[in-house]
Amino acid sequence: MRAYQRLLQGLALVLPFPQPRKLIGAAALRSLPQQMGGRCWRRPLLVTNQQLQQLELPRPLLVELDRLGRPCHVFDQVPDNPTLASVEAGLQAYR
């Protein structure tokens, strides 16, 4: 088992794994569509909860993605404390 872990650690150093980027601040929303531009994501999925959706906080992002020709599907069935059932429902929405 330890040899297997060492092998994976070594591969992680040389293989080009994508690094996550944190988008923080007032300009984060405006820069997200540009960040997506270099990727081949055709149908993004926005995962949120109903409260944020009712407050229309994701609306500027959705409008911008529509303008760029990348309509976004919204999954807003995330409870405050996500359960396994909500994760599975999100997976079904993703598929």
Side-chain angles (χ1 to χ4, degrees):
M1 187 60 153
R2 295 273 185 221
Y4 181 70
Q5 289 175 338
R6 296 277 185 228
L7 175 66
L8 290 179
Q9 287 174 345
L11 287 174
L13 295 174
V14 296
L15 292 178
F17 288 107
Q19 296 296 316
R21 292 186 186 160
K22 292 181 184 178
L23 301 177
I24 300 172
L29 180 63
R30 290 188 294 271
S31 69
L32 182 59
Q34 296 163 350
Q35 297 285 330
M36 292 174 59
R39 307 194 191 288
C40 56
W41 298 335
R42 293 184 306 255
R43 297 178 297 157
L45 173 67
L46 175 65
V47 178
T48 185
N49 61 26
Q50 289 180 345
Q51 291 86 1
L52 293 178
Q53 189 72 341
Q54 288 171 353
L55 293 171
E56 296 188 355
L57 291 177
R59 184 167 176 71
L61 173 63
L62 297 173
V63 168
E64 182 66 14
L65 289 174
D66 280 342
R67 188 184 70 77
L68 295 172
R70 292 180 180 226
C72 185
H73 179 73
V74 178
F75 176 73
D76 63 359
Q77 302 301 312
V78 179
D80 290 337
N81 293 315
T83 62
L84 185 55
S86 66
V87 172
E88 289 175 355
L91 179 61
Q92 290 302 320
Y94 171 76
R95 288 183 179 157

Short mmCIF file of all heavy atoms in Angstrom, two decimals, residues 52-78:
data_model
loop_
_atom_site.label_atom_id
_atom_site.label_comp_id
_atom_site.label_asym_id
_atom_site.label_seq_id
_atom_site.Cartn_x
_atom_site.Cartn_y
_atom_site.Cartn_z
N LEU A 52 -30.23 31.74 -2.29
CA LEU A 52 -29.43 32.58 -3.16
C LEU A 52 -30.12 32.79 -4.50
O LEU A 52 -30.04 33.87 -5.09
CB LEU A 52 -28.04 31.97 -3.37
CG LEU A 52 -27.15 31.92 -2.14
CD1 LEU A 52 -25.83 31.25 -2.46
CD2 LEU A 52 -26.93 33.30 -1.57
N GLN A 53 -30.78 31.76 -4.97
CA GLN A 53 -31.50 31.86 -6.24
C GLN A 53 -32.66 32.85 -6.10
O GLN A 53 -32.90 33.65 -7.01
CB GLN A 53 -31.99 30.48 -6.66
CG GLN A 53 -32.56 30.41 -8.04
CD GLN A 53 -31.50 30.53 -9.12
OE1 GLN A 53 -30.39 30.99 -8.91
NE2 GLN A 53 -31.85 30.12 -10.31
N GLN A 54 -33.38 32.82 -4.98
CA GLN A 54 -34.49 33.75 -4.77
C GLN A 54 -34.00 35.19 -4.64
O GLN A 54 -34.68 36.13 -5.06
CB GLN A 54 -35.29 33.35 -3.53
CG GLN A 54 -36.11 32.10 -3.72
CD GLN A 54 -36.73 31.60 -2.43
OE1 GLN A 54 -36.46 32.11 -1.36
NE2 GLN A 54 -37.57 30.58 -2.55
N LEU A 55 -32.83 35.38 -4.07
CA LEU A 55 -32.24 36.71 -3.97
C LEU A 55 -31.64 37.18 -5.29
O LEU A 55 -31.18 38.32 -5.39
CB LEU A 55 -31.16 36.74 -2.88
CG LEU A 55 -31.66 36.56 -1.45
CD1 LEU A 55 -30.48 36.39 -0.50
CD2 LEU A 55 -32.52 37.74 -1.05
N GLU A 56 -31.61 36.29 -6.28
CA GLU A 56 -31.08 36.55 -7.62
C GLU A 56 -29.60 36.92 -7.61
O GLU A 56 -29.14 37.66 -8.47
CB GLU A 56 -31.90 37.62 -8.33
CG GLU A 56 -33.33 37.20 -8.58
CD GLU A 56 -34.10 38.18 -9.45
OE1 GLU A 56 -33.55 39.26 -9.78
OE2 GLU A 56 -35.23 37.86 -9.79
N LEU A 57 -28.85 36.40 -6.65
CA LEU A 57 -27.42 36.66 -6.62
C LEU A 57 -26.67 36.06 -7.81
O LEU A 57 -25.75 36.68 -8.32
CB LEU A 57 -26.82 36.18 -5.30
CG LEU A 57 -27.25 36.98 -4.07
CD1 LEU A 57 -26.66 36.38 -2.82
CD2 LEU A 57 -26.86 38.43 -4.21
N PRO A 58 -27.06 34.87 -8.31
CA PRO A 58 -26.34 34.33 -9.47
C PRO A 58 -26.77 34.95 -10.80
O PRO A 58 -26.17 34.68 -11.82
CB PRO A 58 -26.70 32.84 -9.47
CG PRO A 58 -27.42 32.56 -8.22
CD PRO A 58 -27.90 33.85 -7.69
N ARG A 59 -27.78 35.81 -10.80
CA ARG A 59 -28.33 36.34 -12.05
C ARG A 59 -27.29 37.03 -12.93
O ARG A 59 -27.25 36.78 -14.14
CB ARG A 59 -29.49 37.27 -11.76
CG ARG A 59 -30.17 37.77 -13.01
CD ARG A 59 -31.50 38.42 -12.67
NE ARG A 59 -32.14 39.01 -13.82
CZ ARG A 59 -32.69 38.33 -14.81
NH1 ARG A 59 -32.66 37.02 -14.80
NH2 ARG A 59 -33.26 38.95 -15.82
N PRO A 60 -26.42 37.93 -12.42
CA PRO A 60 -25.44 38.57 -13.31
C PRO A 60 -24.52 37.56 -14.00
O PRO A 60 -24.19 37.73 -15.18
CB PRO A 60 -24.64 39.48 -12.38
CG PRO A 60 -25.54 39.72 -11.22
CD PRO A 60 -26.35 38.48 -11.06
N LEU A 61 -24.14 36.52 -13.29
CA LEU A 61 -23.30 35.49 -13.89
C LEU A 61 -24.06 34.76 -14.99
O LEU A 61 -23.53 34.55 -16.09
CB LEU A 61 -22.84 34.49 -12.84
CG LEU A 61 -22.09 33.27 -13.36
CD1 LEU A 61 -20.80 33.68 -14.05
CD2 LEU A 61 -21.84 32.29 -12.25
N LEU A 62 -25.31 34.41 -14.74
CA LEU A 62 -26.10 33.68 -15.73
C LEU A 62 -26.34 34.54 -16.97
O LEU A 62 -26.28 34.04 -18.10
CB LEU A 62 -27.43 33.24 -15.12
CG LEU A 62 -27.32 32.26 -13.95
CD1 LEU A 62 -28.67 32.03 -13.31
CD2 LEU A 62 -26.70 30.95 -14.41
N VAL A 63 -26.57 35.81 -16.77
CA VAL A 63 -26.77 36.73 -17.90
C VAL A 63 -25.50 36.82 -18.74
O VAL A 63 -25.54 36.78 -19.97
CB VAL A 63 -27.22 38.12 -17.40
CG1 VAL A 63 -27.15 39.16 -18.51
CG2 VAL A 63 -28.61 38.05 -16.82
N GLU A 64 -24.37 36.95 -18.07
CA GLU A 64 -23.09 37.05 -18.79
C GLU A 64 -22.78 35.77 -19.56
O GLU A 64 -22.31 35.81 -20.70
CB GLU A 64 -21.96 37.38 -17.81
CG GLU A 64 -20.61 37.55 -18.45
CD GLU A 64 -20.50 38.76 -19.38
OE1 GLU A 64 -21.38 39.64 -19.35
OE2 GLU A 64 -19.53 38.79 -20.14
N LEU A 65 -23.04 34.62 -18.95
CA LEU A 65 -22.80 33.35 -19.64
C LEU A 65 -23.73 33.20 -20.84
O LEU A 65 -23.30 32.72 -21.89
CB LEU A 65 -22.96 32.18 -18.67
CG LEU A 65 -21.86 32.04 -17.63
CD1 LEU A 65 -22.20 30.96 -16.63
CD2 LEU A 65 -20.52 31.77 -18.28
N ASP A 66 -24.98 33.61 -20.71
CA ASP A 66 -25.90 33.58 -21.85
C ASP A 66 -25.40 34.49 -22.96
O ASP A 66 -25.46 34.14 -24.15
CB ASP A 66 -27.31 33.99 -21.43
CG ASP A 66 -28.08 32.86 -20.78
OD1 ASP A 66 -27.68 31.69 -20.94
OD2 ASP A 66 -29.07 33.16 -20.09
N ARG A 67 -24.90 35.65 -22.59
CA ARG A 67 -24.40 36.60 -23.59
C ARG A 67 -23.22 36.02 -24.36
O ARG A 67 -23.06 36.25 -25.55
CB ARG A 67 -23.98 37.90 -22.90
CG ARG A 67 -23.61 39.02 -23.87
CD ARG A 67 -23.11 40.24 -23.13
NE ARG A 67 -21.81 40.04 -22.52
CZ ARG A 67 -20.65 40.05 -23.18
NH1 ARG A 67 -20.62 40.22 -24.48
NH2 ARG A 67 -19.51 39.86 -22.53
N LEU A 68 -22.41 35.23 -23.67
CA LEU A 68 -21.25 34.61 -24.31
C LEU A 68 -21.59 33.32 -25.04
O LEU A 68 -20.71 32.66 -25.58
CB LEU A 68 -20.17 34.33 -23.27
CG LEU A 68 -19.55 35.57 -22.62
CD1 LEU A 68 -18.64 35.17 -21.49
CD2 LEU A 68 -18.81 36.39 -23.66
N GLY A 69 -22.86 32.94 -25.03
CA GLY A 69 -23.27 31.72 -25.72
C GLY A 69 -22.99 30.45 -24.94
O GLY A 69 -22.85 29.38 -25.53
N ARG A 70 -22.90 30.55 -23.64
CA ARG A 70 -22.68 29.39 -22.77
C ARG A 70 -23.79 29.33 -21.74
O ARG A 70 -23.58 29.64 -20.57
CB ARG A 70 -21.33 29.48 -22.08
CG ARG A 70 -20.19 29.35 -23.03
CD ARG A 70 -18.90 29.45 -22.26
NE ARG A 70 -17.81 29.31 -23.18
CZ ARG A 70 -16.76 28.55 -22.95
NH1 ARG A 70 -16.66 27.88 -21.84
NH2 ARG A 70 -15.80 28.46 -23.83
N PRO A 71 -24.99 28.93 -22.16
CA PRO A 71 -26.09 28.88 -21.19
C PRO A 71 -25.76 27.92 -20.06
O PRO A 71 -25.15 26.87 -20.26
CB PRO A 71 -27.28 28.40 -22.02
CG PRO A 71 -26.68 27.77 -23.22
CD PRO A 71 -25.37 28.43 -23.47
N CYS A 72 -26.14 28.31 -18.87
CA CYS A 72 -25.78 27.58 -17.67
C CYS A 72 -27.02 26.95 -17.05
O CYS A 72 -28.04 27.62 -16.87
CB CYS A 72 -25.13 28.54 -16.69
SG CYS A 72 -24.51 27.78 -15.20
N HIS A 73 -26.93 25.68 -16.72
CA HIS A 73 -28.00 25.00 -16.00
C HIS A 73 -27.79 25.27 -14.51
O HIS A 73 -26.66 25.29 -14.03
CB HIS A 73 -27.96 23.50 -16.29
CG HIS A 73 -29.00 22.73 -15.56
ND1 HIS A 73 -30.33 22.78 -15.90
CD2 HIS A 73 -28.92 21.91 -14.49
CE1 HIS A 73 -31.01 22.01 -15.07
NE2 HIS A 73 -30.18 21.47 -14.21
N VAL A 74 -28.88 25.49 -13.79
CA VAL A 74 -28.80 25.80 -12.36
C VAL A 74 -29.40 24.65 -11.57
O VAL A 74 -30.53 24.24 -11.81
CB VAL A 74 -29.54 27.11 -12.03
CG1 VAL A 74 -29.50 27.38 -10.54
CG2 VAL A 74 -28.94 28.26 -12.80
N PHE A 75 -28.63 24.15 -10.63
CA PHE A 75 -29.12 23.16 -9.66
C PHE A 75 -29.19 23.87 -8.33
O PHE A 75 -28.17 24.19 -7.71
CB PHE A 75 -28.19 21.95 -9.60
CG PHE A 75 -28.60 20.94 -8.56
CD1 PHE A 75 -29.69 20.14 -8.76
CD2 PHE A 75 -27.89 20.82 -7.38
CE1 PHE A 75 -30.08 19.21 -7.80
CE2 PHE A 75 -28.26 19.90 -6.42
CZ PHE A 75 -29.37 19.10 -6.63
N ASP A 76 -30.42 24.16 -7.87
CA ASP A 76 -30.58 24.94 -6.63
C ASP A 76 -31.24 24.15 -5.51
O ASP A 76 -31.86 24.72 -4.62
CB ASP A 76 -31.37 26.22 -6.91
CG ASP A 76 -32.78 25.96 -7.39
OD1 ASP A 76 -33.17 24.79 -7.54
OD2 ASP A 76 -33.51 26.94 -7.62
N GLN A 77 -31.07 22.86 -5.52
CA GLN A 77 -31.68 22.00 -4.50
C GLN A 77 -30.70 21.59 -3.41
O GLN A 77 -30.79 20.50 -2.87
CB GLN A 77 -32.26 20.75 -5.17
CG GLN A 77 -33.29 21.05 -6.25
CD GLN A 77 -34.46 21.83 -5.70
OE1 GLN A 77 -35.02 21.49 -4.67
NE2 GLN A 77 -34.82 22.90 -6.39
N VAL A 78 -29.76 22.46 -3.08
CA VAL A 78 -28.76 22.17 -2.06
C VAL A 78 -29.28 22.66 -0.71
O VAL A 78 -29.48 23.86 -0.53
CB VAL A 78 -27.41 22.83 -2.39
CG1 VAL A 78 -26.39 22.53 -1.31
CG2 VAL A 78 -26.91 22.37 -3.75
#
